[in-house]
Amino acid sequence: MNKLSSRTRQALTAPFSVWMAIFVLVPIGLVVYYALTDATGGFTLSNLASIWEYRSTYLVSIELALVATVICLIMAYPLAYSISRMKAHSQSTMVLLVMLPMWMNFLIRTYAWMTILEDTGLINTFIKSVLSLVGYEFEGFSMINTNGAIVLGMVYNFLPYMILPIYTVLTKIDHSIIEAARDLGANGFHIFTKVLLPQSIPGIISGITMVFVPAVSTFVISKLLGGGMTYLIGDVIENYFLGNTGEVNYNVGAALSLVLMILILISSGIMNHFDKDVEPDGGAKK
Amino acid sequence: MANNIIDLRNISVTFDGEQILKNLNLQIEDKEFLTLLGPSGCGKTTTLRIIAGFLQPDSGDVIFDGKLINGVPAHKRQVNTIFQRYALFTHLNVFENIAFGLRIKKTPEKEIKATVTEMLNLVNLKGFETRNINTLSGGQQQRVAIARALAVRPRVLLLDEPLGALDLKLRKDMQNELKNIQQRLGITFIYVTHDQEEALSMSDKIVVMNNGVIQQIGTPIDIYNEPENAFVADFIGESNIVDGVMKEDFICEFSGATFNCLDKGFGKNEAVDVVVRPEDVDVVPFEQGMLRGTVTSVTFKGVHFEIIVDIGGFKWMIQSTDEQFVGDNIGLYIEPDAIHIMKKSEYSGLYGDFSSFSEEFDELSDVNAEQEEQDDE
Ligand SMILES: Nc1ncnc2c1ncn2[C@@H]1O[C@H](COP(=O)(O)OP(=O)(O)OP(=O)(O)O)[C@@H](O)[C@H]1O
Ligand SMILES: [Mg+2]
């Protein structure tokens, strides 16, 4: 780490710094500018004040994103663990399989779920035809356009982002510390709660962040699988910028985005604090 | 027999079709300091893992305190391990590392505190309770690992090259400390090393292994003075190992001369391996030598000079406090008790020649090295 001189380091990071400045700092600056100005460009706080009426939308977005994140975590941890225990060769195959859906366009994947969940979709058609064989008339489940469908879409789309960081930290855990724990009398449960889980906290935290952040701000999933029944904050923002259903208002849209960004920042801050508590060396190195 | 805490019977282990331990039989007495000594890859760690319960032998029995424990998992054995790399819990501080095993046993908090304090004193780490593992030096980490294993009061402590990563000075200190701890606590230590000096100075009993086979079991003095075969003689200390013939009891012949020795019980004119330690050879004037040769190399080693002497084409190593010079013709004198006779074995002829120390060999190996480089290209 110390091998590079600070000048070399600066030179190496320059392209990234420029990139960040143009595509991150400038947009954030614009968001802040629009959020704090009115149509004529004068300073105002009324955009931010108008957000109060969307408080329930924020809550629903956060709630659905949280549910999706928890489901992802529960599904991803055992999977990541079992992958990390496999032989090196099977591990790379499994990681490939986990990433495979990511090779396909996000929209296409979500459309695919529409055709599966629709009232006349794959699942219902299948169940109906099976039941009609035994002479039973079944009008089908209504799956699409529900909150459940939205959560399903989130879980499906973001699951790999939970699996990969957890898998990475698990593979980095030195197997001999698991043996050391066993040696000291730990059974499988102890090893999980006292060694594996605390050692994998950094992976869990980046997994949660990488799932929660896109889930809480999504508008595609809610639009395609929620069918406009449930409005998420991402949909509201999109509407203000594109005017699909109402007037175009960059200022309110920017204010909504700004608040969402701040909420995400706060939750990341809380998470990182948690990380430091558990892994003291994270704090000590600073 | 009743005194044996661990008894390994006919243990065999095979990895990927290669036999790593071959019919290993080993009895370990209660409270002894036993060392497994052997070159890298000879199966030392594998043997420890079988005792600890991390590995099931393909065949054979592991007996602990008179009871068969083949199927008993590691966490239920009264055996603890100091790992080759310390394997400390980096997410816990020093106190919690040492308390780990006690917490699992649901020991009362007060007792945990007392034990951890006691262990920290034992390994000289008073005041390190709240330190982060990553901020400790190698030696300190090793001490934490020792304290952590001892805190659960094992009957047997397995130590896998615990000092391998430490510098020479610290190593010597830790050797003494470990030996002290073992005697004070009165528990059995099974110690793995490939450092013969460490083995000789610390152990009650040494087990010399090679290729998954025990070559010799004995006290350090036995192993050094009465090596069983050429491998042991070469591995423990420096040895001149030459072909010889037992003419009759107490008379042997090697390097073209006849010697009195203290060995008996060989067949008449039986071919044998003869071991003479470099420090047991005296340099005398050429005419008075039992053996005569030319000095080919002299190296100053501090306490003594290491002198290579060519005797009829075979290079002997001699350690002497008197300086000799390359090209000198000198005589060698060997006392009867300096001669050790061994039966011929699969290792005969493989070890005990010091040609590699002479200049000719350097030239030879240089040529070889160049050739290898060319082959690589
Ligand atoms: N899990 C395993 N799978 C395949 N081969 C193994 C395994 N564990 C050990 N071996 C092989 O068994 C042999 C003995 O290994 P072991 O670790 O017991 O050696 P060692 O005497 O402890 O050596 P060192 O001094 O280098 O630690 C080596 O050739 C090693 O490659
Ligand atoms: Mg080893």
Side-chain angles (χ1 to χ4, degrees), chain A residues 26-95:
Chain A
V26 172
I28 289 178
L30 285 176
V31 168
V32 174
Y33 169 77
Y34 278 111
L36 297 178
T37 51
D38 57 23
T40 61
F43 176 80
T44 174
L45 287 176
S46 64
N47 299 321
L48 286 172
S50 68
I51 278 163
W52 185 242
E53 61 184 281
Y54 290 107
R55 61 191 180 278
S56 61
T57 315
Y58 274 111
L59 278 180
V60 171
S61 301
I62 290 172
E63 188 192 323
L64 293 191
L66 270 181
V67 170
T69 308
V70 169
I71 293 174
C72 278
L73 181 60
I74 292 170
M75 286 172 69
Y77 200 98
L79 182 63
Y81 178 74
S82 41
I83 297 177
S84 75
R85 284 277 80 94
M86 289 176 183
K87 293 216 172 79
H89 178 75
S90 331
Q91 281 193 25
S92 38
T93 315
M94 286 304 290
V95 170

Side-chain angles (χ1 to χ4, degrees), chain A residues 174 176-177 179-187 190 194-195 198-199 278 280-281 284, chain B residues 49 54 74-75 79-81 83 85 87-91 100-101 103-104 132 134 148:
Chain A
D174 184 358
S176 66
I177 74 163
E179 287 195 340
R182 204 136 48 95
D183 195 65
L184 292 164
N187 58 26
H190 293 135
K194 286 177 176 276
V195 181
Q199 293 259 344
V278 178
D281 57 283
Chain B
R49 291 173 62 80
F54 295 127
H75 67 270
V79 169
N80 286 92
T81 310
F83 292 83
R85 286 162 301 146
L88 294 171
F89 306 119
T90 46
H91 61 288
F100 190 90
R103 290 210 189 284
I104 283 177
N132 185 313
N134 295 315
R148 183 181 68 176

Side-chain angles (χ1 to χ4, degrees), chain B residues 210-211 229-231 234 239 241-243 273 314 344-356:
Chain B
N210 189 36
N211 283 331
N229 60 35
F231 175 82
D234 182 71
S239 299
I241 305 172
V242 294
D243 288 330
D273 287 335
F314 193 94
K344 283 278 177 196
S345 69
E346 59 180 308
Y347 299 108
S348 298
L350 295 178
Y351 305 105
D353 176 17
F354 289 89
S355 339
S356 56

Side-chain angles (χ1 to χ4, degrees), chain B residues 15-16 20 39-46 84 161 194:
Chain B
F15 285 129
D16 310 326
I20 302 300
S40 192
C42 74
K44 305 181 296 289
T45 299
T46 307
Q84 207 158 357
E161 304 198 25
H194 53 236

